[in-house]
Structures are given as structure tokens and as C-alpha cells.
Amino acid sequence: MSTRFLVIAIVLGACASDPGSIECANGILCPEGTQCAAVQQVCLTNNCGNGKLDALEACDDGNIMDGDGCSANCQVEDCGNGVKDFGEVCDDGNTTGGDGCAANCQSDESCGNGVIDTAAGEVCDDSNKASGDGCSSSCKSAEICGNGIVDLGEVCDSTPNCGADCKSGEGCGNGRIDTDVDGNPIEQCDDGNASDNDDCLNSCNFNVCGDGIPDTNGVRKEQCDTGSGGVPVETATCNIDCSLRACGDGKVNQAAGEQCDDGNTTDGDGCDSNCTKTGCGNGVLNPGEQCDDANTANGDGCDNNCKTTACGNGIVTTGESCDDGNNTNGDGCDNNCRPTGCGNGVVSAGEQCDDANSTNGDGCDNNCKPTGCGNGIATAGEQCDDGNTTNGDGCDNTCKITGCGNGTLTTGEVCDDGNLTSGDGCDSNCKPTGCGNGVVTTGEICDDGNATNGDGCDTNCKPTGCGNGITTSGEQCDDGNNVNTDNCTNTCKLPVCGDGFTRTTAPAEQCDDGNAITETCPYNTSCQVCDATCKLVTGTTAVCGDGNVDVPDEVCDDSNATCGTCNGNCQVFASAKATGQLAVLKSGDLVDGETFTLNDGIVGTGHVVTFEYDKDGTITAGNVKLAIGNGDSANTVRQKTVDTINLQVALKITAANGSGSIVLLTNDLFSVNGNVAITTTVADPAFGVSGMSGGAGGDCTTGEACKAAADCASNLCVGGLCQ
């Protein structure tokens, strides 16, 4: 809250002979102990109204009148200053609405004051606090049906059971279909009763098949309803259409296990009386069937062809090897249901014996020939038996397999030592032991039987590949070891600078960082790096002042670290104009010849100017004349001061009118060099000066590095150097 000063104005006419009285510029006399107002014909008992900005004053417009922007106690008349000024309804020290005083200080935000204060939650304000006239007593409702507020004369408002006119409550069971405020139905039906078993449920929704409630009394009658949420569900007793299930109703009920339903109970017409398809295994004995036990299992008395289980019924069951549907012997399946042939105990055409089994070596083998070498059956002690006594045909007459390892040198064999042991001089392929014979023996990883390299197994009997010691297709070298730093890497490539391996054999490398480029060091540091020839060298680094913005370490770089718009660690842009101000006086408070001096910080003629207040027409040589009249007010002196400063083209300082008697000064350049203090010879302490200050950047001298004109004291950057 601003402090109020007691201001006493004396309006009187004093006699010229009164001791201590003073004559005002406006023609009145003020008695001793008072002073003249600057622009009003009153005498002041304090400084408010004298046109000067004195201590504890926020403004001074030369009068002590309210309502002109500066109050009678020299405080600014603004909404939010905590003072109820002329023309304000209230002032609570802020410009925020909703706290008892509107943002523009024109309303105390009370309902009934005729102002709609939306910040306070009002939607209307008809200058009274009566409800029922279109604006409620709280100003929070415009009293219309549907606004969610139960107003005067309304029973309800916008609830699910509220009528469209807000005059009555409605709901399911009232016998009519309710609507919303727009007249749209909000119920499917309403029969006005509490029964769920008719066409309209207690929820005022239609009773439909699948809602789980049988419609037993309505027009759309249902025999059952096993659904949920309006989705019908079929059960063993209830069909999908909410009718009771019965075989012969013409509806296939899969839940009850029905395969078909032709609408009758006649057997043999494709769908039998148990709602299964006509056929063997459905449990219904139809013409052509000996039996039907309602399954397809064989051997249970009625087989899956609906004939009684027995040998000769065409179904092979337990204890039968075959069943050809008859009892004839010799036709492939005898009447004991065993296949006709050797081993069935009967010697038939082409058989020498038949001992009713298929065991070999028991005197009669399973080809019905006597056991023995040459009968075509290999038995105990025989490797083979090809049914003859010819040697070299795969099975010799000793019933041993013709081939390597039987001790007999035959066609295609180089050796045969009577065994299949490899590595004993004659390997299991009857070739002499050694790499390239096709047999892998001790010391060999592979052996493909040839002396070709690169075919998967090389001539040293090691798999083709990098590291086996033999250079094959796709390899530059192969030294058979796992060392990456010799003259052949583990990938069988010749070493090169940039492969990531520091070669220790001649020509040796000092380093190898996996690339063939020279790296850079971290920001503002020095380090050893590996160059493009794999030698250690001192790396380059980015530094503040090199003119390059090195992201992310720098946010700016103006080509030096000592001056300009970017600070010494290249982190902050610093560029601003120096500012200052003068608090001038009326002419009567100034003495002829008093001066003030402005310096824009630029070296050269016309950049330092001394202004001299002149009343008699003579000034000191070198000063700039600032002519004022004896009766000039502070406002007039201020305007003449602004105009005279702005006429000095060489001086890079621009003047402008401020509040009251204040002259605002701004350096034209963004430069720290503009921070030059204003000097004055005016004796009256009320003639105030401040600045120049606040300038930043623009301090690089001639010849120093720059990137922009704002870096230089001269505001001129050419070729990267300040001019």
C-alpha cells in the first residue's frame, strides 16, 4: 500500500510587503514557509506539486489535483497500487480479478452491482439479488432449464430422470417413453409395470432373445432364454432362438450333440430319430446292418461295419492277422484269419518246409527253406547269405560280405589286412594310411581323399578356412595362428593402418585406433592422438576465441576471449546499450552558465559535449548553447534539453521525454564504452543525473578480432578486425 502524504494547499493573496513572502511565476504571492506550485495557482506547504521528483514521491506533475494520473500526494494513480484513486470503485493492490476487486478496479465483484464479474464466477448481474428474474441471487445462474442448476421454479435440472422442461422428474416405469432436453428418446419402451417377463423389461429396454430373461407373457413369446447381454447362447435344453430343444423340431442343436434335425423322427431318411445322420454307428439298426452299438469300436461284439465281431466279417480284430470277409483257404487269408504263406504251418507250393513260425536258424527258416549257408537267409555265424556259392558278388560262399576288411584283396582295393581298423597301415577303405586317402586318422581334422586346397579340406587335412595355415581363395594370407599384431591378422588379411590392430612386426605401428584419420582432442585440452599413418602425434583442440562456436561446449565465439559480445569462456552473449537520465529544473532554479556533460564513449570530435544553460545570450567557448527563458517551467526546460541533445548528430546519445521533468538518455551503440558518467555543474541538488551505465559488449579496439559490428568500440568490423 502506497504511503499517503498530507498535502495542504494555501490559496491566498499575500501582500508584497509581507516579510518572507515569495512571488510565484503565475503571479500569486505565497507567504513565508510555503512555496509555489509549478503549474497551479496554489501555495504548497510541502514539495508535492513543485514539479520536481522529490524523495518519497512517485510523480510530480506540478499540481495537487487528483484524477490526472498523479494524485494530490504525488503518487501514481494506477489500478493495483493499493490506493482507491479518483474514478476507482476499489483498489486491493493488484490487477487480478476474483479476489473482491476487479482487475480494472471498477467493481467490488459483489452480486447485484450490475457488473458481470466473470473472474468471480458470475454469469449474469441484473443489479439485484432476487432470483426468478433471469439472474439468480448468487449471479451464478442465468436461470434456464438445462444449465445443471436447479433454479427457482424448477424441480430438477439435467439429471437422467429430469423432464425436458425441468418441471418434473421422470423415469422408467411411468408408462411413457422419456426424452432428453432435445426431444430425443432415452428409453426403448415403457409399459408402466414391474414385470420382466413381457415385451418391455424393468430397465425400459426391449425384452430380446439373449438377455437371459424369458418373454413368457408378451407378444414375442420365448420358451427359454439362456443368453447374456443380448447375445443368445445355445444349451442342451434351449435352442439359439430361445425355443425348447427337441429332436425333430427341425433345429440342429449342437450343444445337445445333434448332428442333424430334419423335422421328423423317421429312421433311415438321412437323419434318424436320435438326430444323428443315418449310418453305421449311430445306434439305430437300419436295413443291411447285423448290429449297431452306437460306436465305431471294433472287437466289442459289433464292429464298425455293423457286423457281428468274428473271423470272416471283413474286420481285423484281436487275435486275427487278416480278415478277407470269407472262410476260404489259400486265397491270401485263411479261415483262421492268418495270411496264406510260409510260416502258417502249412507246406504249400514252392515251400521246402513250414514249421508254423518265422524264426530263422531253427531248421526251417522264414522262407520255408532248410537253415544253411546259401539258402538266402543269414543266420547265426553268417554275415550274409545271397542264396548262392559265388564269390565276389557281394556275399562270398563263406557267407561273409565281399569287401574291404575281409582279408581278400578284390577289385578297387589297394590293400586289405582283414580288418576295418584305420591308422594301422591299411585303413578301413583298403587304402594305405595317410592324408588324402579319404579316412580321418590321428592328427587329421578332415580327409576328403584328394590333394586339392580350398574344397573344404585342404592338403594338410585341416578344414579350409582362415587360420589353417594354407592361403586359399578370398584370403590375403594365412599364418595358422591367432595373433592379430603380426603380418597376418586373424581374418587372414594383410595388416593396414586403420584395422584396429597395432602391428608389432616390421614395419611396426605406434598405434592403431581402427580408422585412418587424425582425431581431435577434447575441448580446451591437449592430448596424444593416432594419426592417419598410425603414428602418435599431438592432436588439435577447439578453444574459446577461435571464432567457431564449438557445440556443445560453446554457445558463442566472437573470435577472441577478451572483448566483444561473447564473454571469456564463450558461454554468454553480452550486448546492451548504456542508459541514463537527467532530472531537470524550472528556469528559476537554474543559474546562467551551469552545465552538464555527455560522453558517448567514442573517440573523436563531437563525442564529448558540454551543454550550457544560457539566459543572457553568452556562453563559454566550446560549449553547446541550451537557451532557456526566465519563466520556463520544468516541463519546458525538459523539452528544450531533449531537443538540444538530439541536434548533436556526432554525439551518439538519443534523448527522450520521461515522466515529469525526467530526460531519458540512450547510447546509440551496443557497447560497454558507453558507460561514461554524466557530469554537471548545476548547484541545485534537485538537478539529478544518473548513468550512463548498463552498456555491454562493443569494447574491442582497432585491430582486435571481431565477428560483428557490435563487438567493436567503433561499431565497425571489416575483414574480421575492428576498424
Side-chain angles (χ1 to χ4, degrees), residues 33 83 90 163 260 302 392 420 452 491-492 521 546 559 564 676 713:
V83 178
C90 57
C260 58
C302 186
L420 297 176
T452 303
T491 58
C492 289
C521 296
D546 60 8
S559 298
V676 181

Side-chain angles (χ1 to χ4, degrees), residues 406-419:
N406 69 354
T408 302
L409 190 63
T410 56
T411 304
E413 295 178 343
V414 180
C415 60
D416 194 320
D417 56 2
N419 64 61

Side-chain angles (χ1 to χ4, degrees), residues 330 332-334 338-348 351 354 356 366 368:
C333 187
D334 293 343
R338 291 184 179 181
T340 300
C342 179
N344 70 351
V346 177
V347 178
S348 55
E351 296 179 343
D354 195 320
N366 62 10
C368 287

Side-chain angles (χ1 to χ4, degrees), residues 355-533:
D355 56 3
N357 65 58
S358 56
T359 303
N360 290 319
D362 61 353
C364 186
D365 290 342
N366 62 10
N367 60 356
C368 287
K369 291 182 180 181
T371 301
C373 182
N375 72 346
I377 300 295
T379 54
E382 297 178 341
Q383 293 181 353
C384 59
D385 195 318
D386 58 1
N388 64 60
T389 56
T390 304
N391 291 321
D393 60 354
C395 188
D396 293 344
N397 60 9
T398 57
C399 286
K400 290 184 178 180
I401 298 172
T402 300
C404 181
N406 69 354
T408 302
L409 190 63
T410 56
T411 304
E413 295 178 343
V414 180
C415 60
D416 194 320
D417 56 2
N419 64 61
L420 297 176
T421 302
S422 295
D424 59 355
C426 187
D427 289 345
S428 59
N429 59 355
C430 287
K431 292 182 180 180
T433 300
C435 180
N437 73 347
V439 177
V440 178
T441 54
T442 303
E444 297 177 342
I445 300 176
C446 61
D447 195 318
D448 57 0
N450 64 57
T452 303
N453 288 320
D455 60 352
C457 186
D458 291 344
T459 56
N460 57 358
C461 284
K462 293 182 180 180
T464 299
C466 181
N468 73 347
I470 295 177
T471 303
T472 52
S473 176
E475 297 178 342
Q476 296 176 352
C477 58
D478 195 320
D479 55 5
N481 64 46
N482 316 341
V483 179
N484 272 319
T485 58
D486 57 8
N487 286 325
C488 189
T489 67
N490 284 350
T491 58
C492 289
K493 293 183 179 179
L494 295 173
V496 294
C497 179
D499 59 12
F501 306 114
T502 303
R503 185 164 72 250
T504 58
T505 57
E509 298 173 333
Q510 293 180 352
C511 58
D512 196 315
D513 56 2
N515 61 59
I517 62 175
T518 302
E519 308 290 347
T520 59
C521 296
Y523 180 74
N524 208 24
T525 62
S526 62
C527 66
Q528 289 283 303
V529 297
C530 195
D531 70 6
T533 63

Side-chain angles (χ1 to χ4, degrees), residues 116-141:
I116 300 175
D117 297 299
T118 56
E122 294 185 348
V123 299
C124 59
D125 196 315
D126 55 359
S127 300
N128 66 62
K129 290 189 176 182
S131 294
D133 58 355
C135 185
S136 67
S137 61
S138 66
C139 296
K140 300 295 177 68
S141 171

Side-chain angles (χ1 to χ4, degrees), residues 572-712:
V572 180
F573 282 102
S575 184
K577 294 180 178 181
T579 61
Q581 65 180 27
L582 302 172
V584 301
L585 307 175
K586 67 180 184 294
S587 176
D589 294 330
L590 293 171
V591 176
D592 181 68
E594 290 182 320
T595 66
F596 65 89
T597 302
L598 301 180
N599 185 345
D600 61 15
I602 301 174
V603 177
T605 303
H607 296 289
V608 179
V609 180
T610 298
F611 296 89
E612 181 178 330
Y613 285 110
D614 175 49
K615 295 182 179 181
D616 60 6
T618 61
I619 64 170
T620 302
N623 291 350
V624 172
K625 179 179 181 179
L626 206 166
I628 56 175
N630 287 325
D632 286 352
S633 66
N635 284 349
T636 302
V637 173
R638 178 197 63 196
Q639 187 62 55
K640 289 181 177 181
T641 301
V642 169
D643 294 341
T644 304
I645 292 173
N646 289 338
L647 286 173
Q648 309 309 307
V649 178
L651 182 66
K652 298 303 181 183
I653 294 177
T654 299
N657 289 317
S659 175
S661 63
I662 301 300
V663 175
L664 301 177
L665 303 171
T666 304
N667 197 296
D668 295 343
L669 305 180
F670 293 94
S671 175
V672 69
N673 292 333
N675 297 330
V676 181
I678 303 170
T679 61
T680 180
T681 64
V682 178
D684 192 329
F687 187 91
V689 298
S690 64
M692 304 288 281
S693 62
D699 54 349
C700 295
T701 60
T702 302
E704 286 193 280
C706 60
K707 289 191 73 174
D711 295 327
C712 302

